[in-house]
Amino acid sequence: MKALRMSCLALMMAAAEAAMAGGLLTNTNQNVAFLRNPARDGAIGIDGVYSNPAGVVFLGEGFHLSINLQNAHQTRTIQTTSPLFFNNANHAGQQMHQFKGKADAPIIPSLQAAYNKGKWSFQFGFAITGGGGKCEFEDGLGSFEQEVGKVTNYAPKVNMLYQTLGDAGIPGMSNHTMGNKYAYDSYMRGRQYYYGFTIGAGYKVNDNLSVYGGLRMLYGSANYYGYAKNIQVEHKEGETSAMVNASEHFSQLRDNMNYYAGLVEGSNPAMAQQLRGAAEKIDSLSIGTQDIELNCDQTGWGIAPIIGVDYKTNKLNLAAKYEFKTRMRLKNKAANSLSAENISMLDKYADGGKVAEDTPALLTVGAQYSILPSLRINAGWHHYFDVDTKQYSKDMLGDSNEYLFGAEYDICKKLEVSAGMQRTEYDLKDAGMNDISFNVSSYSVGFGLGYKISDKVKVNVAYFQTFYDDYNKAKDANGVTNSFTRTNRVIGLGVDLKL
């Protein structure tokens, strides 16, 4: 039963963290131009400070600036079916429960700036490169409830102890039984931001070729708060049934057994020894169902190089970029309950500890082709080297890939429209899918407008929606099945300036 206490909150807090983590969820929407058309890897624009830094050299001389604000909302939904759920006192008879987490990022800011002079382009960028909001699970997760529900598996053994007390001549004890119902309260909240600061320089080798080199510094800040408390079990006394606090209930039973062991020690030493041995086992049940609270702040930083190249002809532009892996070690500052501090599985959140959370290397390749002077089509490919990262916990079976397509059309001199799509594919199978950490492949579409107020001011507005696949995990040995999916939408407003 000690394993119950050790695993419950570990599962809960890991789930809150996975909701906002970097790595697989590295943010590529660092400019509203991406929301309008995700395939920006081969395009030339001020947003290229992130997507195509080598191409920014071809923007022309002067100071270029892009300021962007985005609003994002995401949900994560897991439908878990377990035979244990049938005994939940608050959902009696239901074996399928739905667990939903909501993540909101009201404002996601980003900024890209470049100063072009001669053959040089000096660039700076700021964006939220991972996380970007708060995720709440008001009712915990299925994996957590499965652990809590296991307390009812101990009912036959507890009832044997009641019978033992009755056999010892303790009045009324054989009239007490533990039922099959359970209940509990849980909550979790995860907040994570990875702030990315980029500096670099591009150089125009000739009228067709440019190269880029730079550095990105990531600063991570996170907080995880949650509790697991008031685990209850059903206690019956004759025909009366009530839900009682499990830890207090088992503690009282332990004390009763030790008390009656003292009473019978003189007349029946064997029985006294049996009662004291059983009391020790009951004590582990009391400890295993105690309240747990965890409150942990994490901070850390890392630096990685970035290189890029761009080649342009009359109608075609080709570009590539490689971001090296960012080594991240997050340091904990925690104010946890004593019960949490004594759980080895929660060492990841221990005060003063360090946690490995690398951001994967990324290779992007893109192209833009002008069919007409007013019509441009785009394509791109992203490859994340996820398996090469070091993280505290990871169930990756392969690297991730994204495929991007889009187009942009100038309706007139001032107004342009664009749209695009992105296919994200994860190489994950059942072994890497659970409600603690899951990703499902998806299709994303984006569209929007760009309006030139003047030759020096352009406003961008866009909407971006992701449609996630459903992943149905096969039934495990305990008869548990899980179905995973998400929702996501982003809206954005930005302004590009040429000074």
Side-chain angles (χ1 to χ4, degrees):
M1 191 60 196
K2 186 178 180 181
L4 171 66
R5 185 171 64 95
M6 293 179 65
S7 57
C8 285
L9 200 67
L11 292 170
M12 184 178 67
M13 297 312 299
E17 176 176 353
M20 303 310 300
L24 288 175
L25 301 181
T26 300
N27 294 344
T28 51
N29 57 313
Q30 298 188 21
N31 191 286
V32 174
F34 173 91
L35 303 183
R36 289 178 49 189
N37 171 13
R40 294 291 296 174
D41 305 292
I44 294 175
I46 184 58
D47 62 299
V49 170
Y50 169 72
S51 57
N52 178 19
V56 177
V57 177
F58 296 115
L59 278 180
E61 297 223 346
F63 183 72
H64 305 266
L65 177 67
S66 180
I67 303 171
N68 302 268
L69 297 174
Q70 299 179 47
N71 174 279
H73 174 76
Q74 187 175 106
T75 66
R76 295 158 179 80
T77 303
I78 309 106
Q79 289 187 344
T80 302
T81 301
S82 170
L84 289 172
F85 292 173
F86 188 87
N87 297 322
N88 187 316
N90 296 321
H91 304 280
Q94 299 180 16
Q95 294 193 47
M96 192 279 285
H97 293 173
Q98 179 173 284
F99 302 88
K100 195 169 186 177
K102 297 180 181 180
D104 286 294
I107 298 178
I108 305 173
S110 65
L111 180 149
Q112 290 86 33
Y115 177 70
N116 291 1
K117 182 68 175 178
K119 294 186 174 184
W120 289 93
S121 174
F122 302 97
Q123 303 174 26
F124 170 80
F126 165 77
I128 308 296
T129 61
K134 178 178 68 174
C135 184
E136 290 185 283
F137 292 84
E138 295 182 354
D139 300 314
L141 291 172
S143 55
F144 176 51
E145 184 173 349
Q146 290 172 55
E147 294 299 324
V148 173
K150 289 177 182 178
V151 70
T152 59
N153 292 337
Y154 293 86
K157 293 183 179 180
V158 171
N159 291 334
M160 287 179 62
L161 296 178
Y162 279 125
Q163 187 61 47
T164 299
L165 288 173
D167 293 342
I170 309 303
M173 284 295 104
S174 59
N175 196 34
H176 290 248
T177 56
M178 175 180 167
N180 293 322
K181 294 181 181 179
Y182 67 89
Y184 68 103
D185 296 325
S186 68
Y187 172 82
M188 68 187 81
R189 179 187 69 232
R191 172 189 55 78
Q192 186 182 69
Y193 292 89
Y194 272 33
Y195 302 97
F197 302 87
T198 305
I199 57 171
Y203 181 75
K204 186 190 298 182
V205 179
N206 54 47
D207 290 341
N208 303 100
L209 178 66
S210 63
V211 294
Y212 171 87
L215 293 173
R216 173 170 293 125
M217 187 193 83
L218 295 182
Y219 176 78
S221 174
N223 171 263
Y224 306 112
Y225 171 77
Y227 57 77
K229 60 185 180 181
N230 196 26
I231 296 175
Q232 300 176 51
V233 294
E234 182 184 20
H235 177 68
K236 296 180 178 180
E237 185 174 356
E239 298 298 322
T240 304
S241 175
M243 299 300 295
V244 297
N245 183 279
S247 182
E248 296 176 0
H249 177 66
F250 294 133
S251 177
Q252 183 178 14
L253 179 56
R254 175 205 62 203
D255 292 343
N256 285 339
M257 299 193 76
N258 283 325
Y259 172 74
Y260 291 120
L263 292 182
V264 302
E265 188 167 20
S267 60
N268 192 340
M271 177 63 73
Q273 184 177 1
Q274 181 182 355
L275 291 174
R276 287 198 173 95
E280 291 181 3
K281 296 178 181 179
I282 288 295
D283 188 53
S284 68
L285 286 172
S286 176
I287 294 173
T289 51
Q290 287 177 353
D291 292 351
I292 311 169
E293 183 177 26
L294 193 147
N295 189 359
C296 179
D297 292 310
Q298 292 183 334
T299 56
W301 62 279
I303 296 178
I306 305 171
I307 55 176
V309 61
D310 186 279
Y311 181 79
K312 66 191 254 347
T313 62
N314 186 34
K315 293 184 177 182
L316 178 66
N317 192 73
L318 302 172
K321 178 189 67 169
Y322 183 77
E323 301 181 19
F324 289 77
K325 178 181 71 176
T326 306
R327 181 183 183 275
M328 293 284 288
R329 298 296 180 267
L330 304 178
K331 186 173 181 180
N332 296 338
K333 183 178 180 182
N336 304 328
S337 65
L338 182 61
S339 57
E341 292 176 2
N342 292 332
I343 299 174
S344 59
M345 289 182 66
L346 297 183
D347 287 345
K348 182 176 183 179
Y349 306 99
D351 188 46
K354 289 188 177 182
V355 181
E357 289 290 352
D358 293 344
T359 296
L362 169 63
L363 172 65
T364 69
V365 177
Q368 177 175 283
Y369 183 77
S370 298
I371 298 176
L372 300 170
S374 59
L375 177 62
R376 299 165 293 279
I377 59 173
N378 309 81
W381 172 61
H382 299 166
H383 182 81
Y384 294 90
F385 297 85
D386 295 301
V387 296
D388 294 332
T389 61
K390 183 176 181 182
Q391 299 186 20
Y392 190 89
S393 60
K394 181 177 64 176
D395 275 317
M396 282 299 303
L397 298 180
D399 293 336
S400 306
N401 291 281
E402 293 177 334
Y403 307 92
L404 308 97
F405 304 93
E408 188 170 72
Y409 179 68
D410 299 329
I411 295 177
C412 60
K413 184 178 180 180
K414 288 184 175 292
L415 181 64
E416 61 187 20
V417 296
S418 61
M421 62 83 62
Q422 171 180 291
R423 172 61 176 172
T424 300
E425 293 185 349
Y426 296 112
D427 186 15
L428 289 169
K429 297 180 175 63
D430 279 5
M433 294 290 289
N434 53 68
D435 57 6
I436 301 171
S437 176
F438 75 89
N439 287 275
V440 289
S441 299
S442 64
Y443 288 95
S444 298
V445 294
F447 57 90
L449 303 172
Y451 183 77
K452 294 181 180 179
I453 297 176
S454 69
D455 291 339
K456 295 185 177 182
V457 181
K458 177 182 177 182
V459 175
N460 296 294
V461 293
Y463 180 82
F464 187 83
Q465 178 81 46
T466 300
F467 301 92
Y468 290 90
D469 298 348
D470 292 330
Y471 189 99
N472 298 313
K473 190 173 180 179
K475 183 181 295 186
D476 66 17
N478 297 315
V480 177
T481 61
N482 287 281
S483 177
F484 307 92
T485 193
R486 298 171 178 248
T487 67
N488 182 72
R489 66 108 181 108
V490 185
I491 57 176
L493 173 66
V495 58
D496 297 341
L497 305 172
K498 183 179 180 181
L499 305 177

